[in-house]
Amino acid sequence: MSDILTHQDAGVLTLTFNRVERKNSINVAMYDALATALEKAAGDAATRVVVIQGHETIFSAGNDIEDFLKNKPAGMDSPVFRFLRGIATFPKPLVAAVCGPAVGVGTTLLFHCDLVYAGDNAAFSMPFVNLGLVPEAASSLLVPQMFGYHRAAEALLLGEPFMAEAALEVGLVNRVVPPSEANALAQAQARKLAAKPLSSLIATKQLMKGGQQKAVLERMGEEGAQFGRMLGEPAAREAMTAFMEKRKPDFSKC
């Protein structure tokens, strides 16, 4: 069975993380599937809204570290960057349902969604610094804008989890519900959107986000360059090795 499930119904394309046994960690093949699905949906008249969801116990643990080390991104045309550009420039409504942990890209992808619904068990985190890396998906730009600088610094410099109610307070999510209801709520809202005139939805989204798109893509490029450089430095090597060896990293010499 595919690690990314796709389902099309009544104008709504649903993309479901389906790798629960690996905490829905995202590998290269999954990034490729997500990027391809978004590229196709953008030009498909039958697709009016896209929903991204996981399981009620886990949204995504972020990058599959083992796979990531074997298949490091090779330039801006790699699957991960195709996905990030695709979600940042997707012209139609994007809806997300998040339950359980949403780590790294599991959180940063949400800044590019239009509506986000969370289970009350959702735990968001952006622990890039803890891996000797820098933020991605233009989160270094978008998080301070949404959270305010000091809350953004707490989220990005400490990298500690924050729960659903805190995400609601800063505007990252629209509503918090029991985990068993989150996916259904996202689907219901997506169907409402799909019943509206698509031309108006696209134009309204473009007006809200279009003026910033250039800055978002530029920041993604800057982050990607820093990310790639830092992957080869001692801090990232120590963090990745410690993760694989299931021990606490020692950054005393980094």
Side-chain angles (χ1 to χ4, degrees):
M1 186 176 291
S2 174
D3 291 335
I4 298 293
L5 298 180
T6 61
H7 178 72
Q8 180 98 20
D9 182 53
V12 177
L13 172 66
T14 302
L15 305 175
T16 304
F17 294 123
N18 185 45
R19 204 183 182 211
V20 177
E21 74 285 355
R22 295 294 299 272
K23 299 182 179 179
N24 284 342
S25 57
I26 308 174
N27 58 29
V28 170
M30 293 167 70
Y31 277 123
D32 185 65
L34 290 165
T36 300
L38 288 174
E39 289 163 3
K40 181 180 178 182
D44 178 14
T47 301
R48 303 171 73 85
V49 184
V50 170
V51 175
I52 300 175
Q53 64 182 27
H55 189 266
E56 65 182 50
T57 62
I58 176 76
F59 183 64
S60 174
N63 281 322
D64 181 322
I65 298 296
E66 184 176 359
D67 179 80
F68 185 76
L69 291 174
K70 292 178 181 177
N71 302 285
K72 294 179 182 178
M76 297 304 289
D77 290 327
S78 62
V80 60
F81 288 116
R82 281 178 53 225
F83 167 68
L84 294 179
R85 285 197 308 274
I87 201 169
T89 60
F90 191 70
K92 302 172 185 179
L94 277 167
V95 181
V98 184
C99 298
V103 181
V105 70
T107 289
T108 60
L109 71 85
L110 303 174
F111 290 94
H112 303 283
C113 294
D114 303 297
L115 299 173
V116 180
Y117 300 99
D120 57 23
N121 64 341
F124 307 86
S125 62
M126 295 174 282
F128 303 106
V129 166
N130 301 340
L131 293 171
L133 299 170
V134 294
E136 32 81 313
S139 54
S140 62
L141 173 69
L142 299 174
V143 177
Q145 288 181 353
M146 182 177 287
F147 289 15
Y149 180 82
H150 289 98
R151 285 183 175 179
E154 191 170 53
L156 291 173
L157 297 181
L158 289 174
E160 296 175 349
F162 54 97
M163 304 306 289
E165 289 298 334
L168 180 66
E169 182 182 354
V170 296
L172 179 58
V173 305
N174 295 83
R175 198 181 309 175
V176 177
V177 297
S180 60
E181 299 176 14
N183 285 3
L185 175 58
Q187 292 291 329
Q189 299 295 80
R191 286 176 179 271
K192 289 181 186 178
L193 289 168
K196 298 181 185 297
L198 182 59
S199 59
S200 294
L201 292 173
I202 291 174
T204 301
K205 178 171 178 173
Q206 184 179 33
L207 287 167
M208 288 194 294
K209 303 189 80 169
Q212 191 177 23
Q213 191 170 97
K214 181 179 178 182
V216 165
L217 294 175
E218 287 178 352
R219 183 61 58 90
M220 281 187 179
E222 293 168 5
E223 291 171 345
Q226 291 271 31
F227 199 101
R229 176 182 63 81
M230 296 185 77
L231 268 177
E233 295 190 352
R237 290 200 300 269
E238 167 60 15
M240 302 294 179
T241 301
F243 180 86
M244 299 302 293
E245 295 177 353
K246 295 181 170 56
R247 61 173 174 82
K248 185 176 181 180
D250 177 9
F251 296 125
S252 60
K253 297 180 181 180
C254 300

